[in-house]
Amino acid sequence: MRHLPAPPRPPARGGVAGTLLAAILVSALSGAAAGGAAVSFLAPAAVTVGASPAPAPAATAAPVRNPGGEPVVELVREVLPGVVTVINKLPGGKPQSSGSGYVIDAQRGYVVTNSHVVTNVRNNNAGDAFDVIFSDETKVAAKLVGRDPQTDVAVLQVPAQGLRALSLGNSDEVPVGAQVVAIGSSLGELRNSVTAGIVSAKGRRAQSEVRPDILLEDLIQTDAAISPGNSGGPLIWVATRQVVGMNTLVNREPGAEGLGFSVSANTVKQITDELIKNGVVERGFIGITYQELSAQIAQTLSLPQQTRGVLLTQVLPGSPGAAAGLRANDVITRVNEQPIDGDHPLATIMVRFRANDRVRVALIRDGKQQTVDVTLGRQP
C-alpha cells in the first residue's frame, strides 16, 4: 500500500519567539532536574510580532502583622522575651532535668521557677548548677537564691542585662472563666510553646508530684495544656497581660485531660519576697506532734463523731506550744478563723504563718472548748 507523505505542520504560534520560549523552558526544567542549579534568563532584544505577551509578575501581598488585633498574639509578642527555659545540671555540667521560668525583676535579674525544677532528681537537695535560656536562644549561668518545697517556688538570679520582667497580678481578682495563656518549654525541648484556655477553678489543693508528703495550696486550675517541661512557666491573664499563676503540675490520669494546676501569683509574690530577703522561708513553729482525729478516736474521747481536728500526742518542752499551755491529748479544731478538716489540714494552715506571728488556737480539753494564744517560734 502506498503511503502519502504527512502534511506539513503549521508553524507554532509566536514564530521565533515561541521557539525561543520552548528552549528556555526546556533549559529551566533540565537545570532543576540536575540539582537545582540557578538558571539566568536574558530578555530578547526585540519582540517578534505575533508572540504571546510576557506574563505579568504575580502580586506580592504585604506582610500580615496581626490584622484582627488578636489579643493573644499581641500578648505573646510582648511577654515572650521574659519567659525562660531552666536547665538543672549535675556536677560536671551534665543536664539532669529542665523546666521553665520567667523574669520577675529585670533590675536585679531575678527569675522565678518551681522548686522541683531546681531540685536534684536523685534526692531532695538543690541541683549543682543552672543555665537559663531566653527566647532568643541566649544562654546564661544562674545562681540559686532560694527555694521553698512547701509551695514549690524557687528564685534564680542571672546577670541583669537587657532583661524584660513580667508583671505579677493579683490572683484573687482573676475570675473563673477568664481566658489565660500558658507559656513554657513543653516536654523540655519545645521551647516557647504557647497554649490557651480558661481559669477552671481557684483555691484548689493537690499533692506535689515530687514530694508526696506536701500538699500544695491555693492553686489555680486551668484547662490550658500543660506538659512536663512547662513547670515554672507563667499562666497569664489575657485581659490584663499579667501573670496570675506559675504552672506546676498536671493530672496524668487517663480520662482526666485538661486538669492543670498553677501556684497562685499571690503565693509566688509572698514566697519570692522572703526568698530574696532571707534565702529561706521561716515558717512559724508550735512544737507539737499530732495525729488526725478520726471518728474512732473521737468516740474514744467521748466527742461527736463529726468533730474534726488533730489530737496532740506530744508538746515539746520549751516550745511555743508548751509556753502557751498546750498539753498532750488536747484536740485542736481551729487556728484563727480556719477550721481544721480534710481540706485544710493543720500543716497546710501553718504554711501561712511566720515566726513571731501570734495565732489563736481553739481546742477541746477534757470535753470542754477553750482557746489559747500562741506566739510562734522559728522552725528548728
Side-chain angles (χ1 to χ4, degrees):
M1 181 179 293
R2 185 179 178 185
H3 297 278
L4 297 176
R9 293 184 179 180
R13 187 168 180 255
V16 176
T19 304
L20 290 174
L21 179 61
I24 289 172
L25 289 174
V26 171
S27 298
L29 291 174
S30 299
V39 179
S40 298
F41 299 98
L42 296 178
V47 178
T48 306
V49 175
S52 301
T60 302
V64 176
R65 293 294 297 170
N66 186 11
E70 298 177 65
V72 172
V73 174
E74 297 296 339
L75 181 151
V76 172
R77 185 177 295 130
E78 176 183 321
V79 305
L80 197 57
V83 182
V84 303
T85 299
V86 178
I87 307 297
N88 182 351
K89 300 190 293 186
L90 292 166
K94 183 179 180 180
Q96 63 170 328
S97 62
S98 67
S100 305
Y102 52 96
V103 179
I104 57 170
D105 188 327
Q107 301 301 317
R108 295 184 291 175
Y110 290 126
V111 172
V112 67
T113 186
N114 279 143
S115 176
H116 75 258
V117 169
V118 299
T119 298
N120 191 320
V121 297
R122 302 175 183 179
N123 51 49
N124 288 327
N125 299 325
D128 186 70
F130 311 95
D131 283 337
V132 165
I133 305 174
F134 291 86
S135 59
D136 63 358
E137 300 301 325
T138 299
K139 180 191 290 187
V140 298
K143 69 175 183 179
L144 180 63
V145 175
R147 64 191 179 107
D148 181 51
Q150 296 292 329
T151 54
D152 206 10
V153 175
V155 178
L156 298 168
Q157 189 171 27
V158 299
Q161 299 175 353
L163 303 181
R164 182 178 299 182
L166 274 59
S167 173
L168 290 180
N170 184 346
S171 50
D172 288 342
E173 294 180 353
V174 60
V176 173
Q179 185 181 19
V180 289
V181 166
I183 306 179
S185 299
S186 297
L187 303 179
E189 296 183 357
L190 303 177
R191 296 175 189 158
N192 310 323
S193 295
V194 180
T195 57
I198 62 169
V199 171
S200 303
K202 297 168 61 178
R204 297 297 200 200
R205 59 196 301 266
Q207 189 177 54
S208 168
E209 287 187 300
V210 294
R211 289 282 301 274
D213 58 317
I214 292 176
L215 287 173
L216 301 175
E217 291 286 337
D218 196 23
L219 300 177
I220 295 175
Q221 180 186 331
T222 179
D223 65 350
I226 297 174
S227 68
N230 277 122
S231 292
L235 185 72
I236 305 170
W237 186 4
V238 175
T240 63
R241 299 189 182 182
Q242 292 181 318
V243 177
V244 292
M246 179 170 64
N247 305 319
T248 188
L249 60 89
V250 63
N251 192 316
R252 303 178 191 275
E253 295 180 11
E257 292 79 8
L259 285 176
F261 298 92
S262 303
V263 180
S264 73
N266 289 357
T267 298
V268 171
K269 187 177 188 313
Q270 177 188 9
I271 299 301
T272 54
D273 285 348
E274 294 187 52
L275 291 176
I276 290 171
K277 182 179 179 180
N278 304 316
V280 294
V281 175
E282 296 182 332
R283 289 187 170 81
F285 173 67
I286 299 180
I288 57 175
T289 59
Y290 58 86
Q291 66 183 98
E292 184 178 351
L293 186 69
S294 64
Q296 182 178 2
I297 295 175
Q299 184 178 14
T300 301
L301 297 174
S302 300
L303 298 175
Q305 290 192 0
Q306 66 269 25
T307 305
R308 297 290 179 265
V310 296
L311 173 67
L312 301 191
T313 57
Q314 182 183 11
V315 180
L316 301 179
S319 68
L326 294 179
R327 305 175 189 172
N329 295 322
D330 284 347
V331 175
I332 296 179
T333 59
R334 182 188 301 265
V335 177
N336 288 348
E337 299 304 318
Q338 178 60 64
I340 299 171
D341 54 32
D343 291 332
H344 303 90
L346 180 58
T348 299
I349 295 172
M350 295 305 299
V351 167
R352 310 170 188 171
F353 300 112
R354 303 294 176 261
N356 299 320
D357 283 351
R358 189 174 184 178
V359 297
R360 175 154 289 191
V361 175
L363 58 87
I364 301 174
R365 179 182 294 167
D366 299 328
K368 298 179 180 179
Q369 297 187 8
Q370 57 182 287
T371 60
V372 298
D373 291 333
V374 181
T375 299
L376 303 177
R378 297 185 184 278
Q379 189 78 36

